[in-house]
Amino acid sequence: MGLLLKSLVPFVGLILALWFYSKDDLKPEMLKEKRVIVTGASTGIGEQMAYHLAWMGAHILVTARTEAKLQKVVTQCLELGAASAHYVNGSMEDPTLADDVVKRAKQLWGGLDMLILNHISPTYLKYFDGDVEHIRKLLEVNFLSYVAMTLSALPMLKESGGSILVVSSTAGKFAIPFVAPYSATKFALDGFFSSLRQELIIEKVNVSITLCVLGHIDTETAKKTVGHVFWLPPAPKEECALEIIKGGALRKRELYYQYFAVRTSLLIRDWAPEYLDSRTRNHFIVENVKRS
Ligand SMILES: NC(=O)C1=CN([C@@H]2O[C@H](COP(=O)(O)OP(=O)(O)OC[C@H]3O[C@@H](n4cnc5c(N)ncnc54)[C@H](OP(=O)(O)O)[C@@H]3O)[C@@H](O)[C@H]2O)C=CC1
Ligand SMILES: C[C@H](CCC(=O)O)[C@H]1CC[C@H]2[C@@H]3C(=O)C[C@@H]4C[C@H](O)CC[C@]4(C)[C@H]3CC[C@]12C
């Protein structure tokens, strides 16, 4: 026992030292003059990411459906110090939009350094009611359009040694009730982009893919959708947005926000899945959840 402890202590010390010294930090200069597309940037976390990129001096192209909101985001980005700011409005239900957005970036800047995939189609939080059309729509907007944007952007990203940031959720890593269609699209993102990352590494392509696994965040949409059914407090969208950019700029494989809560849940998921299921169910006020 004594021998085991004696050999374990230096080993644990070494691991801790390695972890401490390997902790990189984001320097705003890393994003200066970088050419970045942010999808779903008219509100919420996407809008906040655009503002962070702006004060760091990036070139920004934002997209979403609502033109009036995008115009305001662009104006604000320019005031904050963006190298340039533009928008393309349209719905990712339209299969041609992904390519149009990427083409606009090429036309504006001649290249691309970072692709931030963040948009989602409005979703509900309720018992699954058999609405297969809703699943189809969410797969189109939350998943297939991410794939389409990636395909269009890859040649430019290969040229620049750029990065792809995929905004996902704890609902794309473990079982959360009342979001079945949405959860399916987020699990699909993990499968697709984790496999693609492997291929890029095998082919020695210098494009990083960061999967961002987020917990509950205080966006207006989240407040409206889950305020009355989920009793754990949400984390701030501004900080969340900065962590996502940091994770992408540092070319992390995965990013967790809120770090401790998400990491703990993932550890429990692999060792005691039934316990995680029941702990997650207990975070919901089920009597407030709609049935249809
Ligand atoms: N908030 C949370 O608690 C959590 C969020 N996440 C993830 O974070 C990301 C951002 O979420 P959040 O900021 O809360 O979401 P919001 O609802 O605030 O923003 C969604 C964005 O997507 C755009 N959008 C909606 N439909 C379409 C469409 N058909 N085509 C193109 N754009 C569209 C919206 O703009 P417009 O309506 O103008 O088109 C908006 O800009 C998402 O990927 C989400 O899954 C993950 C875990 C938790
Ligand atoms: C509250 C959940 C987090 C539970 C945990 O233990 O980590 C959230 C995980 C998934 C979230 C939903 C989601 O990502 C889809 C929608 C996104 C919208 O912008 C806000 C509403 C959502 C239904 C959102 C609500 C919180 C979660 C269920």
Side-chain angles (χ1 to χ4, degrees):
M1 185 67 184
L3 191 67
L4 184 72
L5 261 182
K6 265 187 203 159
S7 52
L8 210 61
V9 170
F11 179 70
V12 172
L14 182 71
I15 298 286
L16 283 176
L18 277 176
W19 174 75
F20 184 77
Y21 286 109
S22 68
K23 268 199 315 176
D24 293 321
D25 218 355
L26 174 71
K27 294 173 189 68
E29 310 86 78
M30 287 175 169
L31 273 308
K32 197 168 168 56
E33 305 280 329
K34 293 289 184 225
R35 301 154 297 180
V36 188
I37 295 176
V38 189
T39 72
S42 63
T43 53
I45 300 163
E47 178 185 2
Q48 297 306 318
M49 286 195 276
Y51 297 153
H52 283 304
L53 290 161
W55 68 257
M56 291 179 206
H59 292 277
I60 304 160
L61 176 60
V62 289
T63 106
R65 292 169 305 176
T66 320
E67 186 166 19
K69 287 187 189 166
L70 290 173
Q71 280 166 344
K72 282 190 191 151
V73 173
V74 162
T75 306
Q76 180 83 0
C77 284
L78 292 171
E79 279 168 16
L80 286 168
S84 69
H86 296 88
Y87 71 86
V88 175
N89 65 297
S91 172
M92 289 289 177
E93 280 173 82
D94 172 357
T96 63
L97 184 69
D99 197 44
D100 290 348
V101 174
V102 175
K103 278 192 183 130
R104 180 89 173 110
K106 186 162 184 146
Q107 182 196 47
L108 285 167
W109 309 316
L112 183 69
D113 299 292
M114 191 179 264
L115 173 64
I116 306 184
L117 299 167
N118 165 77
H119 62 278
I120 46 163
S121 189
T123 192
Y124 48 66
L125 196 139
K126 62 178 186 182
Y127 287 87
F128 180 57
D129 59 3
D131 185 354
V132 176
E133 269 320 301
H134 181 61
I135 302 186
R136 225 184 287 282
K137 181 173 168 182
L138 292 200
L139 279 171
E140 192 65 58
V141 176
N142 301 4
F143 174 62
L144 291 175
S145 73
Y146 280 43
V147 174
M149 287 213 69
T150 299
L151 279 177
S152 300
L154 256 180
M156 286 198 283
L157 292 171
K158 284 181 182 172
E159 211 173 291
S160 64
S163 359
I164 302 169
L165 282 66
V166 179
V167 180
S168 187
S169 161
T170 47
K173 284 286 187 186
F174 61 86
I176 295 186
F178 313 122
V179 286
Y182 166 86
S183 180
T185 67
K186 293 298 191 185
F187 270 87
L189 288 175
D190 193 352
F192 179 84
F193 282 96
S194 300
S195 174
L196 183 66
R197 186 194 295 111
Q198 290 281 51
E199 293 175 21
L200 295 176
I201 293 170
I202 290 167
E203 291 189 307
K204 298 193 173 43
V205 172
N206 184 25
V207 174
S208 62
I209 295 181
T210 304
L211 184 78
C212 308
V213 185
L214 314 182
H216 185 199
I217 314 298
D218 69 357
T219 61
E220 289 310 311
T221 316
K223 282 187 214 163
K224 269 187 242 149
T225 320
V226 283
H228 57 301
V229 292
F230 192 76
W231 60 264
L232 287 183
K237 58 181 184 289
E238 297 81 1
E239 185 185 70
C240 173
L242 187 59
E243 285 300 309
I244 294 173
I245 293 168
K246 186 168 154 185
L250 297 175
R251 305 175 85 80
K252 289 198 174 154
R253 184 179 179 280
E254 292 197 344
L255 173 275
Y256 309 101
Y257 185 85
Q258 308 125 327
Y259 184 85
F260 186 74
V262 176
R263 282 303 263 178
T264 310
S265 298
L266 292 181
L267 266 178
I268 304 174
R269 176 197 65 176
D270 291 340
W271 292 92
E274 287 88 355
Y275 170 66
L276 180 62
D277 284 355
S278 98
R279 198 182 76 136
T280 307
R281 288 194 299 272
N282 287 336
H283 292 156
F284 285 85
I285 309 161
V286 290
E287 49 284 14
N288 289 351
V289 178
K290 280 200 245 155
R291 288 202 171 265
S292 65

